[in-house]
C-alpha cells in the first residue's frame, strides 16, 4: 500500500522509477522527467532529461506493417555453418509451393547468403510510396536482404550493433510485403544484438516461434542449448529443432573412387563402375550412407528430449541439396535431391500441422 500512496503523491508515476531515484520521482517516461523540482541532485537527472519519452514510435509502425502477416517464423542456430540459410530458403520454397504467400527476410547483415540461395544475386531493391518492394522469385515468394543493397557483393559490411539494429528495424518497418501467410526470418548464428532486436521489435506482433538448426556434433549441440535457453528467456516458443547434415547419403553411382599409389592418387572411378556393372550390377541401385559426424551421444533428438523441445527430424547431407542451394533452386522442383527433399518435406509438413 505504501508504494500506492507514494504514487498518488507523485500524481501516478509514469514509466519506471530507477532504484537510486530521489523521493517523488515523476518516472522516467514523464514529461517532467529530469526537470521536476524533485529531480535536483538525482544521479539519473541528466539521462532522464535528455532521453526520448514515451514508447518507441517505430514499434507502432512495425506493428502496423506486421498486421498483414499471419505467421512469423524465426530460423536460428547456435553456431555458423550448420545450413540455416539453406533450410530457410527451402522452407520458403516449400511454403510457396503449397500456395501460401511467403516473405523471406534475411537479417544476417554480415553474411547475407539468401540472395544467392534464391537465385537473386545482383538484383536491386525498388522503393515505392508503399515502402521497399521485396524481390520476387515467384509471384507468391518475396525476398528482402541487405545483399541487395551492396554496390559490390564483395564489400564487407563493417557495422557496429546500433547500425545493424537500425537496418533490421527499417526492414520490419518499411518493407511492403502486402498480405502474406508466412514471414520466414533468417537470422545470423548466435544470440547477439540482432537476435535481441528482432525479438524486441516483433514482440508486440506475436511471433509463432523459432526453428533451430543444428548438426549432430557435440560442438554444435552445446551452442543449440544456449539458443533454446535464449528463446525461453525472451519468450519465443521453440517450434522445434532440425538436425541438418545428419550423415551422408549418396547414390552409389555418384561416388568417386581413387586408387592410392606411390606417385599419388589415380582416379579409378571409371574402372570401379565398369567392374561393378560387370560383377555386381545389383550394387548400382543402392544408396551409400556414411555417418560423417560422431553421433554416439544421441545427437539432437536426445538433447531435445532432455530440454523439452520438439525434435522435427533429420536432413541428411546431400551433395544435390548443396548444388540446388548454390544454384538458387528449390530442392522440391525435380527428383534430383532424392536424399534430402523427402526429409525436408516431412519436417515442413510437421511444422505446418502444429502451426496452422
Amino acid at each position: 500500500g505504501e508504494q500506492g500512496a507514494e504514487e498518488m503523491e507523485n500524481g501516478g508515476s509514469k514509466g519506471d522509477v530507477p532504484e537510486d531515484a530521489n523521493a517523488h520521482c515523476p518516472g522516467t517516461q514523464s514529461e517532467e522527467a529530469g526537470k521536476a523540482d524533485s529531480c535536483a541532485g538525482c544521479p539519473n537527472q541528466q539521462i532522464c532529461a535528455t532521453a526520448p519519452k514515451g514508447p518507441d514510435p517505430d514499434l507502432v509502425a512495425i506493428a502496423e506493417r506486421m498486421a498483414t502477416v499471419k505467421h512469423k517464423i524465426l530460423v536460428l542456430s547456435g553456431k555458423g555453418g550448420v545450413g540455416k540459410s539453406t533450410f530457410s530458403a527451402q522452407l520458403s520454397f516449400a511454403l510457396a509451393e503449397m500456395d501460401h504467400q511467403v516473405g523471406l527476410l534475411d537479417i544476417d547483415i554480415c553474411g547475407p547468403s539468401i540472395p544467392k540461395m534464391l537465385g537473386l544475386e545482383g538484383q536491386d531493391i525498388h522503393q515505392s510510396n508503399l515502402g521497399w518492394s521485396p524481390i520476387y522469385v515467384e509471384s507468391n515468394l518475396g525476398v528482402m536482404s541487405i545483399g541487395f543493397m551492396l554496390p559490390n557483393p564483395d564489400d564487407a559490411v563493417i557495422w557496429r550493433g546500433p547500425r545493424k539494429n537500425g537496418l533490421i528495424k527499417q526492414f520490419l518497418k518499411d518493407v511492403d510485403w502486402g498480405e502474406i501467410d508466412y514471414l520466414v526470418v533468417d537470422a545470423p548464428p548466435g544470440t547477439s544484438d540482432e537476435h535481441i532486436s528482432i525479438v524486441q521489435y516483433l514482440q508486440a506482433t506475436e511471433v509463432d516461434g523459432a526453428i533451430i538448426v543444428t548438426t549432430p556434433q557435440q560442438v554444435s549441440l552445446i551452442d543449440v542449448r544456449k539458443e533454446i535457453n535464449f528463446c525461453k528467456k525472451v519468450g519465443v516458443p521453440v517450434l522445434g529443432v532440425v538436425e541438418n547434415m545428419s550423415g551422408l547419403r549418396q547414390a552409389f553411382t555418384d561416388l568417386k573412387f581413387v586408387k592410392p599409389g606411390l606417385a599419388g592418387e589415380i582416379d579409378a572411378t571409371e574402372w570401379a563402375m565398369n567392374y561393378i556393372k560387370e560383377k555386381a550390377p545389383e550394387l548400382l541401385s543402392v544408396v551409400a550412407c556414411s555417418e560423417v559426424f560422431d553421433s554416439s551421444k544421441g545427437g539432437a533428438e536426445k538433447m531435445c528430449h532432455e530440454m523439452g523441445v520438439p525434435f522435427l527430424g533429420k536432413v541428411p547431407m546431400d551433395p544435390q541439396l548443396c548444388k540446388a542451394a548454390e544454384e538458387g533452386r528449390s530442392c522440391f522442383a525435380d527428383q534430383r535431391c532424392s536424399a534430402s527433399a523427402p526429409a525436408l518435406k516431412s519436417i515442413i509438413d510437421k511444422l505446418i500441422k502444429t502451426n496452422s
Side-chain angles (χ1 to χ4, degrees):
E2 227 169 89
Q3 180 119 30
E6 189 158 329
E7 268 188 29
M8 294 308 295
E9 212 172 310
N10 291 344
S13 102
K14 290 241 175 30
D16 297 326
V17 174
E19 278 179 19
D20 52 357
N22 288 356
H24 311 304
C25 166
T28 54
Q29 296 296 327
S30 155
E31 287 304 317
E32 288 288 282
K35 303 184 182 102
D37 296 343
S38 56
C39 294
C42 173
N44 306 296
Q45 185 175 14
Q46 187 56 42
I47 303 168
C48 287
T50 54
K53 300 289 175 286
D56 182 343
D58 285 342
L59 294 184
V60 180
I62 290 172
E64 280 171 13
R65 229 358 142 189
M66 289 295 137
T68 61
V69 178
K70 282 190 199 137
H71 299 285
K72 300 166 204 69
I73 297 176
L74 305 178
V75 182
L76 308 174
S77 74
K79 72 194 269 307
V82 297
K84 174 178 44 54
S85 297
T86 303
F87 182 81
S88 301
Q90 298 303 331
L91 170 62
S92 304
F93 277 130
L95 291 170
E97 226 165 87
M98 295 170 186
D99 287 332
H100 294 294
Q101 293 289 332
V102 186
L104 174 54
L105 174 62
D106 179 10
I107 62 163
D108 191 343
I109 311 260
C110 295
S113 35
I114 287 297
K116 183 166 184 61
M117 290 191 177
L118 285 118
L120 297 173
E121 278 179 305
Q123 300 268 10
D124 287 327
I125 291 173
H126 298 287
Q127 290 180 331
S128 71
N129 51 357
L130 296 173
W132 296 351
S133 305
I135 291 175
Y136 287 89
V137 186
E138 309 281 343
S139 59
N140 63 338
L141 173 51
V143 183
M144 182 52 77
S145 166
I146 191 180
F148 300 136
M149 305 166 103
L150 303 176
N152 172 5
D154 296 344
D155 284 350
V157 181
I158 308 172
W159 288 6
R160 288 187 186 271
R163 194 164 169 203
K164 289 184 189 173
N165 298 344
L167 182 69
I168 291 171
K169 193 183 261 188
Q170 215 167 351
F171 274 163
L172 293 175
K173 195 175 66 149
D174 293 342
V175 176
D176 174 37
W177 298 106
E179 294 271 340
I180 60 172
D181 300 309
Y182 287 92
L183 179 65
V184 177
V185 180
D186 184 38
T191 54
S192 60
D193 223 350
E194 293 95 307
H195 304 83
I196 300 167
S197 301
I198 194 98
V199 170
Q200 187 190 346
Y201 300 152
L202 288 177
Q203 209 90 58
T205 70
E206 296 286 295
V207 178
D208 288 52
I211 298 167
I212 302 174
V213 182
T214 180
T215 47
Q217 326 87 303
Q218 291 298 303
V219 175
S220 186
L221 292 173
I222 288 168
D223 295 341
V224 169
R225 292 169 187 271
K226 295 184 172 64
E227 203 70 37
I228 292 171
N229 285 326
F230 167 81
C231 289
K232 288 181 177 167
K233 264 215 168 66
V234 298
V236 170
V238 175
L239 298 174
V241 173
V242 173
E243 183 176 284
N244 199 13
M245 308 189 199
S246 174
L248 175 71
R249 291 179 70 95
Q250 216 172 351
F252 200 81
T253 46
D254 287 346
L255 293 173
K256 299 268 176 284
F257 298 89
V258 294
K259 265 189 176 166
L262 290 174
E265 292 178 343
I266 320 158
D267 183 1
T269 308
E270 204 177 328
W271 168 83
M273 282 302 164
N274 289 335
Y275 187 82
I276 290 161
K277 274 177 196 147
E278 204 179 305
K279 300 274 202 290
E282 301 82 6
L283 284 178
L284 296 175
S285 60
V286 298
V287 174
C289 305
S290 150
E291 288 286 325
V292 181
F293 299 121
D294 165 37
S295 55
S296 59
K297 300 272 195 312
E301 194 164 2
K302 181 162 172 259
M303 180 216 62
C304 286
H305 195 71
E306 288 165 11
M307 296 198 72
V309 295
F311 179 65
L312 291 172
K314 302 178 174 193
V315 182
M317 234 180 212
D318 176 0
Q320 290 297 330
L321 175 62
C322 302
K323 204 163 167 355
E326 298 272 61
E327 292 171 6
R329 289 185 288 112
S330 160
C331 74
F332 306 107
D334 51 42
Q335 301 306 305
R336 278 185 274 181
C337 301
S338 54
S340 52
L344 280 163
K345 191 90 185 77
S346 78
I347 287 172
I348 292 163
D349 288 344
K350 224 186 249 184
L351 255 180
I352 301 299
K353 252 201 212 78
T354 54
N355 209 28
S356 46

